[in-house]
Structures are given as structure tokens and as C-alpha cells.
Amino acid sequence: MSMMPKRNRRPAEDGEFSDPLKHYGNAATLDDLERRLLQSTVADMPITPIDTVSPIATIEHAVQRMAEANVGCLLVVEHGRLVGIFTQTDLLLRVVDRYEQIKGTLLRDVMTPDPIVVRDNDSPAKAINLMSMGGFRHIPVLDVDDHIVGLVGPRRTTAYLRQHFTRPT
Amino acid sequence: MGLRDDLLNEPVSSLPFREPIRLPLTAPVRAAVAAMREGGEGCVVVTNDHGTPEGNFTEHQIAGLVARGGAFLDEPISRHIRDAWAKVRHSEPITNLIHKLQDYGLRYVTVVDDAGKAIGVLGQKALMDFISEYFPLQVKTQDMEAKVSLEKREGA
């Protein structure tokens, strides 16, 4: 794998120099936000309450649960262990235009199995990097024993970031 | 400057936003579903006859419609666009995007140029992409690499 950092900004204009390592520094040069994102843990973030469902629940059941709880995703749990995740994106990609035909199908057939997770002692920076790299909006949080602790979601992540900024007047 | 200063000072236009998927108010929900799937986006910008954004239609609205049931796929999206939506000018600082996402409880904010024309859609993903640049690579890949390597057979 390339060791060059991924460029997530608009590319430099022709002739304009852009140093790909310009944000890399040692701990002494980190600002307070960078330090907090690196040195605190996911457990310090406002973790979204979780809503779980069985993999042998029907799609219809899951859709109703999401609507009732007004959540963007459900964690799919079997015998106390995380086995998958079902999100509004799964609904869009695999369900919506044939819902009436497949609403009795088991969730395990349309969920995303074995989702990427973070540990509760990982840094928020790691969670953000996983969101960026994988394109995930929601990442389950597990403890060292693989028990589900919660979910890092976009709204809570934004709220966490906003703690560092005063609102414009 | 560090991340905090950059979020305060860099304009929204430095984020990697893409061209929005635009649909007219009269387009059916079915067209929005197809466009979002094809474009790999969770949101379309709904515009009036002059190209001015009137609202957004997102995965969240679709999930609500599916739960409600009925034949909604051929209904016009104008019936279902989200009442609360927000736009941000391309020259505003990134912190304004953070505030708008949070204040309105939104996943996406429409980016407009100085004339008010929609030029992009930004959500948390772009924000996470921006922030992830500030941190070393080792936190970026280790879990996904581990998962991939476990699926490969090794040895005799």
C-alpha cells in the first residue's frame, strides 16, 4: 500500500505547490483539537444509543424499527455478538424498489455482514479515519470482550467537533 | 496552522464536494432512487424551473416512505422533500458547515455559489475526509488491512 497520504482536498491549481505532508507534525505542534482527537478515546465521544435486531428478523420489522426509533441504522446481533449492520444505504441499494416483494425476507440476506468496528479505547481520530476511508457513516463500538458499547455516528461526531468552536453570531 | 485554525479559516470550497445530483420538483421518487444509486450519493438536490434549490431529498426520506408503505415510487419528490434544509456559500468557513449540519440535524448541506446556484452537496463524509488528513496513516488502515489479510490463505 502506498505510504503517500490520501488527498482529500481539491487538487492544487497548475503551478501551485502543495506539500502533501504539511499537516504532519509531532505531538508538540498539535493544536488542542488534534491533540484531543488523538489522545482521548471513542468512549469520551457522545456515543449514539444503539438499536439492535436479530438477523432472522424480517426486512419489514427492521424498516419499522428504524422508523419508530428515527435512526439511520440498526446493529444486527446474534447471541449477543455483532454479526452485521443494516443502514438506510442498504435499504436504498437493496430493498426500496422491491420492498413489497421482499419485505418478508430475512434481514441477514440484505444486511452488511461483519462491519468494520472501533474499540472503545481507540481514538476519535481512528474512528474518523475509518469513516473517511471506508465511507461509513456509522461504526459500531465494541469493548475488549467484543461486547457492543454503542455506535459512532455522524451527528454525534459533528457535535463532538463543535464543542471546540463557538457559534457564529 | 493546525486543524482547528484550518476549520475556522479554510473555505467550504476546499472540501472535496462533488457535483450535486439535481432533479426537478416533478421528478418521481423512483427517479431519485435510481439517481442516488447510480451516483453513489445519499442525497439529491431538488430544483425549481430556474435551477434554484428548493430542498433536498435523502435516504432518510426514502426510509420513512418505505416504512409508511404504499405506492410512493411514482409520486413526485416535491411531496416528500425535507422541509428543513440548509445551504452554505462556497466561501464560508468550514466551521459554518459544522454548525449547519448540527443546528438543522442534517446529513447534507447544499453548497451554493455567490449567485445562489447549487454547485455541490456536502455531508459528514467530506468533513471526515478533510479531518483524516491531519492524522498519521497507521490509524487509517490497520483494521481494514487486518480484515482483508485474514481472508487470504497463507502458508502451505
Side-chain angles (χ1 to χ4, degrees), chain A residues 8-10 31 34 64 88-89 92 97 117 126 129 132-133 137 162 164, chain B residues 3-4 10 16-17 37 59 67 103 107-108 129 132-134 142-143:
Chain A
N8 288 320
R9 296 178 189 216
R10 301 224 141 175
D31 72 14
E34 291 171 68
Q64 294 303 326
Q88 288 176 345
T89 302
L92 171 72
D97 53 355
V117 301
K126 178 171 179 177
N129 277 312
S132 168
M133 185 183 173
R137 270 212 297 267
R162 192 158 85 158
H164 294 263
Chain B
L3 174 59
R4 188 176 186 283
E10 290 212 22
F17 63 81
R37 279 181 174 172
E59 284 175 351
D103 285 343
R107 294 181 184 173
Y108 301 96
D129 286 349
S132 68
E133 274 198 1
Y134 289 76
Q142 60 192 35
D143 264 15

PDB file of all heavy atoms in Angstrom, chain A residues 8-10 31 34 64 88-89 92 97 117 126 129 132-133 137 162 164, chain B residues 3-4 10 16-17 37 59 67 103 107-108 129 132-134 142-143:
ATOM      1  N   ASN A   8      -7.522  14.570   0.271  1.00  0.00           N
ATOM      2  CA  ASN A   8      -8.958  14.729   0.394  1.00  0.00           C
ATOM      3  C   ASN A   8      -9.424  16.141   0.090  1.00  0.00           C
ATOM      4  O   ASN A   8     -10.541  16.488   0.376  1.00  0.00           O
ATOM      5  CB  ASN A   8      -9.405  14.344   1.807  1.00  0.00           C
ATOM      6  CG  ASN A   8      -9.309  12.858   1.996  1.00  0.00           C
ATOM      7  OD1 ASN A   8      -9.635  12.107   1.095  1.00  0.00           O
ATOM      8  ND2 ASN A   8      -8.836  12.434   3.144  1.00  0.00           N
ATOM      9  N   ARG A   9      -8.532  16.929  -0.427  1.00  0.00           N
ATOM     10  CA  ARG A   9      -8.931  18.284  -0.772  1.00  0.00           C
ATOM     11  C   ARG A   9      -8.906  18.438  -2.265  1.00  0.00           C
ATOM     12  O   ARG A   9      -8.406  17.607  -2.992  1.00  0.00           O
ATOM     13  CB  ARG A   9      -7.952  19.291  -0.167  1.00  0.00           C
ATOM     14  CG  ARG A   9      -7.972  19.256   1.321  1.00  0.00           C
ATOM     15  CD  ARG A   9      -6.958  20.212   1.842  1.00  0.00           C
ATOM     16  NE  ARG A   9      -6.846  20.020   3.259  1.00  0.00           N
ATOM     17  CZ  ARG A   9      -6.632  20.994   4.116  1.00  0.00           C
ATOM     18  NH1 ARG A   9      -6.504  22.219   3.694  1.00  0.00           N
ATOM     19  NH2 ARG A   9      -6.540  20.741   5.395  1.00  0.00           N
ATOM     20  N   ARG A  10      -9.421  19.550  -2.685  1.00  0.00           N
ATOM     21  CA  ARG A  10      -9.337  19.852  -4.090  1.00  0.00           C
ATOM     22  C   ARG A  10      -7.877  19.918  -4.498  1.00  0.00           C
ATOM     23  O   ARG A  10      -7.045  20.458  -3.760  1.00  0.00           O
ATOM     24  CB  ARG A  10      -9.985  21.201  -4.360  1.00  0.00           C
ATOM     25  CG  ARG A  10     -11.430  21.197  -3.925  1.00  0.00           C
ATOM     26  CD  ARG A  10     -12.283  21.827  -4.938  1.00  0.00           C
ATOM     27  NE  ARG A  10     -13.517  21.057  -5.018  1.00  0.00           N
ATOM     28  CZ  ARG A  10     -14.528  21.423  -5.779  1.00  0.00           C
ATOM     29  NH1 ARG A  10     -14.450  22.489  -6.506  1.00  0.00           N
ATOM     30  NH2 ARG A  10     -15.602  20.694  -5.831  1.00  0.00           N
ATOM     31  N   ASP A  31      -2.455  21.112  17.654  1.00  0.00           N
ATOM     32  CA  ASP A  31      -3.319  22.067  18.351  1.00  0.00           C
ATOM     33  C   ASP A  31      -4.261  21.303  19.286  1.00  0.00           C
ATOM     34  O   ASP A  31      -4.259  20.066  19.312  1.00  0.00           O
ATOM     35  CB  ASP A  31      -4.052  22.988  17.360  1.00  0.00           C
ATOM     36  CG  ASP A  31      -5.160  22.293  16.570  1.00  0.00           C
ATOM     37  OD1 ASP A  31      -5.566  21.180  16.951  1.00  0.00           O
ATOM     38  OD2 ASP A  31      -5.612  22.874  15.575  1.00  0.00           O
ATOM     39  N   GLU A  34      -6.544  18.684  17.555  1.00  0.00           N
ATOM     40  CA  GLU A  34      -5.810  17.498  17.084  1.00  0.00           C
ATOM     41  C   GLU A  34      -5.402  16.616  18.262  1.00  0.00           C
ATOM     42  O   GLU A  34      -5.518  15.385  18.201  1.00  0.00           O
ATOM     43  CB  GLU A  34      -4.570  17.927  16.306  1.00  0.00           C
ATOM     44  CG  GLU A  34      -4.879  18.583  14.977  1.00  0.00           C
ATOM     45  CD  GLU A  34      -3.629  19.184  14.343  1.00  0.00           C
ATOM     46  OE1 GLU A  34      -2.738  18.433  13.945  1.00  0.00           O
ATOM     47  OE2 GLU A  34      -3.544  20.428  14.277  1.00  0.00           O
ATOM     48  N   GLN A  64     -39.537  -0.942  10.097  1.00  0.00           N
ATOM     49  CA  GLN A  64     -40.414  -0.306  11.084  1.00  0.00           C
ATOM     50  C   GLN A  64     -39.623   0.136  12.321  1.00  0.00           C
ATOM     51  O   GLN A  64     -39.860   1.213  12.868  1.00  0.00           O
ATOM     52  CB  GLN A  64     -41.543  -1.269  11.492  1.00  0.00           C
ATOM     53  CG  GLN A  64     -42.516  -1.586  10.353  1.00  0.00           C
ATOM     54  CD  GLN A  64     -43.173  -0.346   9.750  1.00  0.00           C
ATOM     55  OE1 GLN A  64     -43.436   0.621  10.444  1.00  0.00           O
ATOM     56  NE2 GLN A  64     -43.396  -0.364   8.444  1.00  0.00           N
ATOM     57  N   GLN A  88     -29.677   2.791   6.264  1.00  0.00           N
ATOM     58  CA  GLN A  88     -30.550   3.361   5.240  1.00  0.00           C
ATOM     59  C   GLN A  88     -29.940   3.225   3.852  1.00  0.00           C
ATOM     60  O   GLN A  88     -30.654   3.185   2.858  1.00  0.00           O
ATOM     61  CB  GLN A  88     -30.844   4.824   5.574  1.00  0.00           C
ATOM     62  CG  GLN A  88     -31.776   4.955   6.774  1.00  0.00           C
ATOM     63  CD  GLN A  88     -32.025   6.377   7.216  1.00  0.00           C
ATOM     64  OE1 GLN A  88     -31.309   7.293   6.825  1.00  0.00           O
ATOM     65  NE2 GLN A  88     -33.023   6.563   8.057  1.00  0.00           N
ATOM     66  N   THR A  89     -28.621   3.149   3.786  1.00  0.00           N
ATOM     67  CA  THR A  89     -27.980   2.926   2.484  1.00  0.00           C
ATOM     68  C   THR A  89     -28.275   1.514   1.981  1.00  0.00           C
ATOM     69  O   THR A  89     -28.527   1.313   0.781  1.00  0.00           O
ATOM     70  CB  THR A  89     -26.466   3.150   2.595  1.00  0.00           C
ATOM     71  OG1 THR A  89     -26.232   4.476   3.061  1.00  0.00           O
ATOM     72  CG2 THR A  89     -25.786   2.974   1.237  1.00  0.00           C
ATOM     73  N   LEU A  92     -31.650   1.643   0.574  1.00  0.00           N
ATOM     74  CA  LEU A  92     -31.681   2.292  -0.738  1.00  0.00           C
ATOM     75  C   LEU A  92     -31.156   1.344  -1.821  1.00  0.00           C
ATOM     76  O   LEU A  92     -31.737   1.234  -2.900  1.00  0.00           O
ATOM     77  CB  LEU A  92     -30.836   3.571  -0.706  1.00  0.00           C
ATOM     78  CG  LEU A  92     -30.602   4.248  -2.053  1.00  0.00           C
ATOM     79  CD1 LEU A  92     -31.884   4.908  -2.552  1.00  0.00           C
ATOM     80  CD2 LEU A  92     -29.495   5.297  -1.952  1.00  0.00           C
ATOM     81  N   ASP A  97     -36.963  -0.517  -4.083  1.00  0.00           N
ATOM     82  CA  ASP A  97     -37.844  -0.630  -5.246  1.00  0.00           C
ATOM     83  C   ASP A  97     -38.496  -2.006  -5.376  1.00  0.00           C
ATOM     84  O   ASP A  97     -39.259  -2.238  -6.306  1.00  0.00           O
ATOM     85  CB  ASP A  97     -37.096  -0.254  -6.531  1.00  0.00           C
ATOM     86  CG  ASP A  97     -35.819  -1.028  -6.696  1.00  0.00           C
ATOM     87  OD1 ASP A  97     -35.464  -1.783  -5.774  1.00  0.00           O
ATOM     88  OD2 ASP A  97     -35.164  -0.879  -7.743  1.00  0.00           O
ATOM     89  N   VAL A 117     -15.398  -2.151  12.858  1.00  0.00           N
ATOM     90  CA  VAL A 117     -15.722  -1.638  14.195  1.00  0.00           C
ATOM     91  C   VAL A 117     -14.547  -0.837  14.751  1.00  0.00           C
ATOM     92  O   VAL A 117     -13.428  -0.918  14.233  1.00  0.00           O
ATOM     93  CB  VAL A 117     -16.048  -2.789  15.176  1.00  0.00           C
ATOM     94  CG1 VAL A 117     -17.219  -3.604  14.661  1.00  0.00           C
ATOM     95  CG2 VAL A 117     -14.834  -3.673  15.411  1.00  0.00           C
ATOM     96  N   LYS A 126      -9.089   7.765  14.966  1.00  0.00           N
ATOM     97  CA  LYS A 126      -9.179   6.492  14.254  1.00  0.00           C
ATOM     98  C   LYS A 126     -10.588   6.269  13.720  1.00  0.00           C
ATOM     99  O   LYS A 126     -10.765   5.839  12.570  1.00  0.00           O
ATOM    100  CB  LYS A 126      -8.792   5.338  15.178  1.00  0.00           C
ATOM    101  CG  LYS A 126      -8.910   3.996  14.497  1.00  0.00           C
ATOM    102  CD  LYS A 126      -8.330   2.893  15.326  1.00  0.00           C
ATOM    103  CE  LYS A 126      -8.512   1.564  14.592  1.00  0.00           C
ATOM    104  NZ  LYS A 126      -7.905   0.459  15.329  1.00  0.00           N
ATOM    105  N   ASN A 129     -11.006   8.405  10.721  1.00  0.00           N
ATOM    106  CA  ASN A 129     -10.269   7.873   9.575  1.00  0.00           C
ATOM    107  C   ASN A 129     -10.981   6.670   8.954  1.00  0.00           C
ATOM    108  O   ASN A 129     -10.980   6.504   7.739  1.00  0.00           O
ATOM    109  CB  ASN A 129      -8.853   7.484  10.003  1.00  0.00           C
ATOM    110  CG  ASN A 129      -7.936   8.677   9.997  1.00  0.00           C
ATOM    111  OD1 ASN A 129      -7.914   9.425   9.033  1.00  0.00           O
ATOM    112  ND2 ASN A 129      -7.198   8.888  11.062  1.00  0.00           N
ATOM    113  N   SER A 132     -13.784   7.951   6.943  1.00  0.00           N
ATOM    114  CA  SER A 132     -13.293   8.535   5.698  1.00  0.00           C
ATOM    115  C   SER A 132     -12.879   7.459   4.711  1.00  0.00           C
ATOM    116  O   SER A 132     -13.291   7.456   3.551  1.00  0.00           O
ATOM    117  CB  SER A 132     -12.104   9.453   5.998  1.00  0.00           C
ATOM    118  OG  SER A 132     -11.452   9.819   4.812  1.00  0.00           O
ATOM    119  N   MET A 133     -12.068   6.538   5.163  1.00  0.00           N
ATOM    120  CA  MET A 133     -11.523   5.538   4.254  1.00  0.00           C
ATOM    121  C   MET A 133     -12.592   4.579   3.743  1.00  0.00           C
ATOM    122  O   MET A 133     -12.632   4.243   2.561  1.00  0.00           O
ATOM    123  CB  MET A 133     -10.434   4.746   4.969  1.00  0.00           C
ATOM    124  CG  MET A 133      -9.751   3.772   4.054  1.00  0.00           C
ATOM    125  SD  MET A 133      -8.558   2.794   4.935  1.00  0.00           S
ATOM    126  CE  MET A 133      -8.130   1.661   3.620  1.00  0.00           C
ATOM    127  N   ARG A 137     -20.898   5.771   7.538  1.00  0.00           N
ATOM    128  CA  ARG A 137     -21.474   6.832   8.358  1.00  0.00           C
ATOM    129  C   ARG A 137     -21.583   6.389   9.808  1.00  0.00           C
ATOM    130  O   ARG A 137     -21.529   7.204  10.716  1.00  0.00           O
ATOM    131  CB  ARG A 137     -22.856   7.211   7.829  1.00  0.00           C
ATOM    132  CG  ARG A 137     -22.812   8.301   6.791  1.00  0.00           C
ATOM    133  CD  ARG A 137     -24.047   9.167   6.860  1.00  0.00           C
ATOM    134  NE  ARG A 137     -25.240   8.425   6.557  1.00  0.00           N
ATOM    135  CZ  ARG A 137     -25.783   8.335   5.344  1.00  0.00           C
ATOM    136  NH1 ARG A 137     -25.227   8.974   4.352  1.00  0.00           N
ATOM    137  NH2 ARG A 137     -26.863   7.649   5.131  1.00  0.00           N
ATOM    138  N   ARG A 162     -17.937  20.223  17.316  1.00  0.00           N
ATOM    139  CA  ARG A 162     -18.445  21.573  17.544  1.00  0.00           C
ATOM    140  C   ARG A 162     -18.160  22.074  18.955  1.00  0.00           C
ATOM    141  O   ARG A 162     -18.211  23.278  19.195  1.00  0.00           O
ATOM    142  CB  ARG A 162     -19.936  21.646  17.258  1.00  0.00           C
ATOM    143  CG  ARG A 162     -20.395  23.100  17.210  1.00  0.00           C
ATOM    144  CD  ARG A 162     -21.644  23.285  16.463  1.00  0.00           C
ATOM    145  NE  ARG A 162     -22.816  23.050  17.304  1.00  0.00           N
ATOM    146  CZ  ARG A 162     -24.011  23.546  17.013  1.00  0.00           C
ATOM    147  NH1 ARG A 162     -24.189  24.273  15.940  1.00  0.00           N
ATOM    148  NH2 ARG A 162     -25.035  23.292  17.789  1.00  0.00           N
ATOM    149  N   HIS A 164     -15.559  22.497  20.101  1.00  0.00           N
ATOM    150  CA  HIS A 164     -14.344  23.306  20.030  1.00  0.00           C
ATOM    151  C   HIS A 164     -14.550  24.648  19.354  1.00  0.00           C
ATOM    152  O   HIS A 164     -13.605  25.403  19.165  1.00  0.00           O
ATOM    153  CB  HIS A 164     -13.247  22.530  19.286  1.00  0.00           C
ATOM    154  CG  HIS A 164     -12.808  21.328  20.046  1.00  0.00           C
ATOM    155  ND1 HIS A 164     -11.685  21.328  20.845  1.00  0.00           N
ATOM    156  CD2 HIS A 164     -13.350  20.107  20.161  1.00  0.00           C
ATOM    157  CE1 HIS A 164     -11.564  20.147  21.414  1.00  0.00           C
ATOM    158  NE2 HIS A 164     -12.549  19.386  21.016  1.00  0.00           N
TER     159      HIS A 164
ATOM    160  N   LEU B   3      -5.425  21.945  12.771  1.00  0.00           N
ATOM    161  CA  LEU B   3      -6.766  21.586  12.313  1.00  0.00           C
ATOM    162  C   LEU B   3      -7.819  22.615  12.739  1.00  0.00           C
ATOM    163  O   LEU B   3      -8.663  23.021  11.950  1.00  0.00           O
ATOM    164  CB  LEU B   3      -7.120  20.197  12.874  1.00  0.00           C
ATOM    165  CG  LEU B   3      -8.534  19.709  12.631  1.00  0.00           C
ATOM    166  CD1 LEU B   3      -8.856  19.630  11.143  1.00  0.00           C
ATOM    167  CD2 LEU B   3      -8.746  18.343  13.278  1.00  0.00           C
ATOM    168  N   ARG B   4      -7.739  23.034  13.994  1.00  0.00           N
ATOM    169  CA  ARG B   4      -8.749  23.964  14.482  1.00  0.00           C
ATOM    170  C   ARG B   4      -8.745  25.263  13.671  1.00  0.00           C
ATOM    171  O   ARG B   4      -9.805  25.741  13.241  1.00  0.00           O
ATOM    172  CB  ARG B   4      -8.503  24.261  15.965  1.00  0.00           C
ATOM    173  CG  ARG B   4      -9.595  25.063  16.607  1.00  0.00           C
ATOM    174  CD  ARG B   4      -9.360  25.254  18.091  1.00  0.00           C
ATOM    175  NE  ARG B   4     -10.503  25.899  18.696  1.00  0.00           N
ATOM    176  CZ  ARG B   4     -10.768  27.202  18.592  1.00  0.00           C
ATOM    177  NH1 ARG B   4      -9.939  27.987  17.927  1.00  0.00           N
ATOM    178  NH2 ARG B   4     -11.838  27.716  19.159  1.00  0.00           N
ATOM    179  N   GLU B  10     -10.381  27.961   6.550  1.00  0.00           N
ATOM    180  CA  GLU B  10     -10.454  27.491   5.157  1.00  0.00           C
ATOM    181  C   GLU B  10     -11.903  27.504   4.673  1.00  0.00           C
ATOM    182  O   GLU B  10     -12.832  27.204   5.432  1.00  0.00           O
ATOM    183  CB  GLU B  10      -9.874  26.081   5.044  1.00  0.00           C
ATOM    184  CG  GLU B  10      -8.367  26.077   5.243  1.00  0.00           C
ATOM    185  CD  GLU B  10      -7.672  24.992   4.443  1.00  0.00           C
ATOM    186  OE1 GLU B  10      -8.250  24.511   3.445  1.00  0.00           O
ATOM    187  OE2 GLU B  10      -6.549  24.646   4.819  1.00  0.00           O
ATOM    188  N   PRO B  16     -13.803  18.348  -0.541  1.00  0.00           N
ATOM    189  CA  PRO B  16     -13.958  17.610  -1.810  1.00  0.00           C
ATOM    190  C   PRO B  16     -15.415  17.339  -2.159  1.00  0.00           C
ATOM    191  O   PRO B  16     -15.840  16.205  -2.213  1.00  0.00           O
ATOM    192  CB  PRO B  16     -13.206  16.308  -1.517  1.00  0.00           C
ATOM    193  CG  PRO B  16     -13.382  16.100  -0.060  1.00  0.00           C
ATOM    194  CD  PRO B  16     -13.416  17.466   0.561  1.00  0.00           C
ATOM    195  N   PHE B  17     -16.169  18.401  -2.399  1.00  0.00           N
ATOM    196  CA  PHE B  17     -17.568  18.154  -2.754  1.00  0.00           C
ATOM    197  C   PHE B  17     -17.707  17.821  -4.234  1.00  0.00           C
ATOM    198  O   PHE B  17     -16.888  18.213  -5.049  1.00  0.00           O
ATOM    199  CB  PHE B  17     -18.482  19.309  -2.358  1.00  0.00           C
ATOM    200  CG  PHE B  17     -18.206  20.616  -3.026  1.00  0.00           C
ATOM    201  CD1 PHE B  17     -18.674  20.874  -4.293  1.00  0.00           C
ATOM    202  CD2 PHE B  17     -17.504  21.620  -2.363  1.00  0.00           C
ATOM    203  CE1 PHE B  17     -18.447  22.099  -4.902  1.00  0.00           C
ATOM    204  CE2 PHE B  17     -17.271  22.841  -2.955  1.00  0.00           C
ATOM    205  CZ  PHE B  17     -17.731  23.079  -4.228  1.00  0.00           C
ATOM    206  N   ARG B  37     -28.624   5.803  -6.465  1.00  0.00           N
ATOM    207  CA  ARG B  37     -27.887   4.544  -6.625  1.00  0.00           C
ATOM    208  C   ARG B  37     -26.760   4.695  -7.643  1.00  0.00           C
ATOM    209  O   ARG B  37     -25.627   4.303  -7.398  1.00  0.00           O
ATOM    210  CB  ARG B  37     -28.838   3.447  -7.115  1.00  0.00           C
ATOM    211  CG  ARG B  37     -29.655   2.828  -6.032  1.00  0.00           C
ATOM    212  CD  ARG B  37     -30.517   1.760  -6.647  1.00  0.00           C
ATOM    213  NE  ARG B  37     -31.241   1.001  -5.637  1.00  0.00           N
ATOM    214  CZ  ARG B  37     -32.180   0.120  -5.918  1.00  0.00           C
ATOM    215  NH1 ARG B  37     -32.528  -0.101  -7.176  1.00  0.00           N
ATOM    216  NH2 ARG B  37     -32.794  -0.542  -4.958  1.00  0.00           N
ATOM    217  N   GLU B  59     -31.764   9.741   1.634  1.00  0.00           N
ATOM    218  CA  GLU B  59     -32.022   8.363   2.065  1.00  0.00           C
ATOM    219  C   GLU B  59     -32.999   8.326   3.232  1.00  0.00           C
ATOM    220  O   GLU B  59     -33.791   7.402   3.361  1.00  0.00           O
ATOM    221  CB  GLU B  59     -30.718   7.722   2.554  1.00  0.00           C
ATOM    222  CG  GLU B  59     -29.766   7.299   1.488  1.00  0.00           C
ATOM    223  CD  GLU B  59     -28.480   6.793   2.107  1.00  0.00           C
ATOM    224  OE1 GLU B  59     -28.289   6.927   3.339  1.00  0.00           O
ATOM    225  OE2 GLU B  59     -27.657   6.270   1.365  1.00  0.00           O
ATOM    226  N   ALA B  67     -41.233   2.763   5.226  1.00  0.00           N
ATOM    227  CA  ALA B  67     -41.900   2.355   6.475  1.00  0.00           C
ATOM    228  C   ALA B  67     -43.392   2.676   6.422  1.00  0.00           C
ATOM    229  O   ALA B  67     -44.212   1.915   6.936  1.00  0.00           O
ATOM    230  CB  ALA B  67     -41.239   3.062   7.654  1.00  0.00           C
ATOM    231  N   ASP B 103     -27.055  22.280  13.703  1.00  0.00           N
ATOM    232  CA  ASP B 103     -28.238  23.075  14.050  1.00  0.00           C
ATOM    233  C   ASP B 103     -29.515  22.516  13.424  1.00  0.00           C
ATOM    234  O   ASP B 103     -30.573  22.507  14.040  1.00  0.00           O
ATOM    235  CB  ASP B 103     -28.072  24.524  13.574  1.00  0.00           C
ATOM    236  CG  ASP B 103     -27.111  25.299  14.464  1.00  0.00           C
ATOM    237  OD1 ASP B 103     -26.843  24.834  15.585  1.00  0.00           O
ATOM    238  OD2 ASP B 103     -26.631  26.359  14.034  1.00  0.00           O
ATOM    239  N   ARG B 107     -27.844  15.713   7.402  1.00  0.00           N
ATOM    240  CA  ARG B 107     -26.704  14.921   6.932  1.00  0.00           C
ATOM    241  C   ARG B 107     -26.009  15.602   5.769  1.00  0.00           C
ATOM    242  O   ARG B 107     -24.855  15.312   5.488  1.00  0.00           O
ATOM    243  CB  ARG B 107     -27.169  13.551   6.464  1.00  0.00           C
ATOM    244  CG  ARG B 107     -27.694  12.727   7.587  1.00  0.00           C
ATOM    245  CD  ARG B 107     -28.109  11.387   7.077  1.00  0.00           C
ATOM    246  NE  ARG B 107     -28.707  10.634   8.155  1.00  0.00           N
ATOM    247  CZ  ARG B 107     -29.283   9.471   7.995  1.00  0.00           C
ATOM    248  NH1 ARG B 107     -29.316   8.934   6.810  1.00  0.00           N
ATOM    249  NH2 ARG B 107     -29.806   8.845   9.018  1.00  0.00           N
ATOM    250  N   TYR B 108     -26.753  16.440   5.080  1.00  0.00           N
ATOM    251  CA  TYR B 108     -26.200  17.096   3.887  1.00  0.00           C
ATOM    252  C   TYR B 108     -26.558  18.573   3.895  1.00  0.00           C
ATOM    253  O   TYR B 108     -27.647  18.952   4.319  1.00  0.00           O
ATOM    254  CB  TYR B 108     -26.769  16.469   2.612  1.00  0.00           C
ATOM    255  CG  TYR B 108     -26.496  14.994   2.496  1.00  0.00           C
ATOM    256  CD1 TYR B 108     -27.435  14.054   2.894  1.00  0.00           C
ATOM    257  CD2 TYR B 108     -25.276  14.532   2.004  1.00  0.00           C
ATOM    258  CE1 TYR B 108     -27.194  12.697   2.809  1.00  0.00           C
ATOM    259  CE2 TYR B 108     -25.015  13.180   1.909  1.00  0.00           C
ATOM    260  CZ  TYR B 108     -25.976  12.267   2.314  1.00  0.00           C
ATOM    261  OH  TYR B 108     -25.720  10.926   2.227  1.00  0.00           O
ATOM    262  N   ASP B 129     -13.288  13.305   5.651  1.00  0.00           N
ATOM    263  CA  ASP B 129     -12.155  13.218   4.731  1.00  0.00           C
ATOM    264  C   ASP B 129     -11.144  14.323   5.013  1.00  0.00           C
ATOM    265  O   ASP B 129      -9.935  14.100   5.021  1.00  0.00           O
ATOM    266  CB  ASP B 129     -12.637  13.347   3.273  1.00  0.00           C
ATOM    267  CG  ASP B 129     -13.339  12.100   2.769  1.00  0.00           C
ATOM    268  OD1 ASP B 129     -13.265  11.066   3.457  1.00  0.00           O
ATOM    269  OD2 ASP B 129     -13.963  12.165   1.698  1.00  0.00           O
ATOM    270  N   SER B 132      -9.344  13.667   8.377  1.00  0.00           N
ATOM    271  CA  SER B 132      -8.478  12.484   8.402  1.00  0.00           C
ATOM    272  C   SER B 132      -7.082  12.784   7.864  1.00  0.00           C
ATOM    273  O   SER B 132      -6.141  12.044   8.147  1.00  0.00           O
ATOM    274  CB  SER B 132      -9.118  11.339   7.610  1.00  0.00           C
ATOM    275  OG  SER B 132      -9.162  11.651   6.242  1.00  0.00           O
ATOM    276  N   GLU B 133      -6.943  13.854   7.084  1.00  0.00           N
ATOM    277  CA  GLU B 133      -5.619  14.219   6.575  1.00  0.00           C
ATOM    278  C   GLU B 133      -4.649  14.621   7.676  1.00  0.00           C
ATOM    279  O   GLU B 133      -3.438  14.616   7.473  1.00  0.00           O
ATOM    280  CB  GLU B 133      -5.738  15.407   5.620  1.00  0.00           C
ATOM    281  CG  GLU B 133      -6.054  15.046   4.211  1.00  0.00           C
ATOM    282  CD  GLU B 133      -5.729  16.185   3.262  1.00  0.00           C
ATOM    283  OE1 GLU B 133      -5.249  17.241   3.712  1.00  0.00           O
ATOM    284  OE2 GLU B 133      -5.964  16.013   2.067  1.00  0.00           O
ATOM    285  N   TYR B 134      -5.165  14.985   8.807  1.00  0.00           N
ATOM    286  CA  TYR B 134      -4.320  15.540   9.853  1.00  0.00           C
ATOM    287  C   TYR B 134      -3.696  14.476  10.752  1.00  0.00           C
ATOM    288  O   TYR B 134      -2.952  14.801  11.663  1.00  0.00           O
ATOM    289  CB  TYR B 134      -5.122  16.524  10.720  1.00  0.00           C
ATOM    290  CG  TYR B 134      -5.440  17.794   9.972  1.00  0.00           C
ATOM    291  CD1 TYR B 134      -6.447  17.810   9.015  1.00  0.00           C
ATOM    292  CD2 TYR B 134      -4.717  18.957  10.187  1.00  0.00           C
ATOM    293  CE1 TYR B 134      -6.744  18.953   8.305  1.00  0.00           C
ATOM    294  CE2 TYR B 134      -4.999  20.101   9.488  1.00  0.00           C
ATOM    295  CZ  TYR B 134      -6.021  20.093   8.537  1.00  0.00           C
ATOM    296  OH  TYR B 134      -6.293  21.230   7.829  1.00  0.00           O
ATOM    297  N   GLN B 142      -5.232   0.214   9.641  1.00  0.00           N
ATOM    298  CA  GLN B 142      -4.873  -1.056  10.259  1.00  0.00           C
ATOM    299  C   GLN B 142      -6.032  -2.043  10.369  1.00  0.00           C
ATOM    300  O   GLN B 142      -5.856  -3.222  10.098  1.00  0.00           O
ATOM    301  CB  GLN B 142      -4.241  -0.848  11.631  1.00  0.00           C
ATOM    302  CG  GLN B 142      -5.142  -0.142  12.635  1.00  0.00           C
ATOM    303  CD  GLN B 142      -4.356   0.281  13.871  1.00  0.00           C
ATOM    304  OE1 GLN B 142      -3.191   0.653  13.760  1.00  0.00           O
ATOM    305  NE2 GLN B 142      -4.971   0.197  15.013  1.00  0.00           N
ATOM    306  N   ASP B 143      -7.225  -1.583  10.700  1.00  0.00           N
ATOM    307  CA  ASP B 143      -8.315  -2.533  10.856  1.00  0.00           C
ATOM    308  C   ASP B 143      -8.718  -3.164   9.541  1.00  0.00           C
ATOM    309  O   ASP B 143      -8.933  -4.357   9.449  1.00  0.00           O
ATOM    310  CB  ASP B 143      -9.537  -1.817  11.454  1.00  0.00           C
ATOM    311  CG  ASP B 143      -9.588  -1.994  12.954  1.00  0.00           C
ATOM    312  OD1 ASP B 143      -8.561  -2.400  13.505  1.00  0.00           O
ATOM    313  OD2 ASP B 143     -10.645  -1.738  13.537  1.00  0.00           O
TER     314      ASP B 143
END
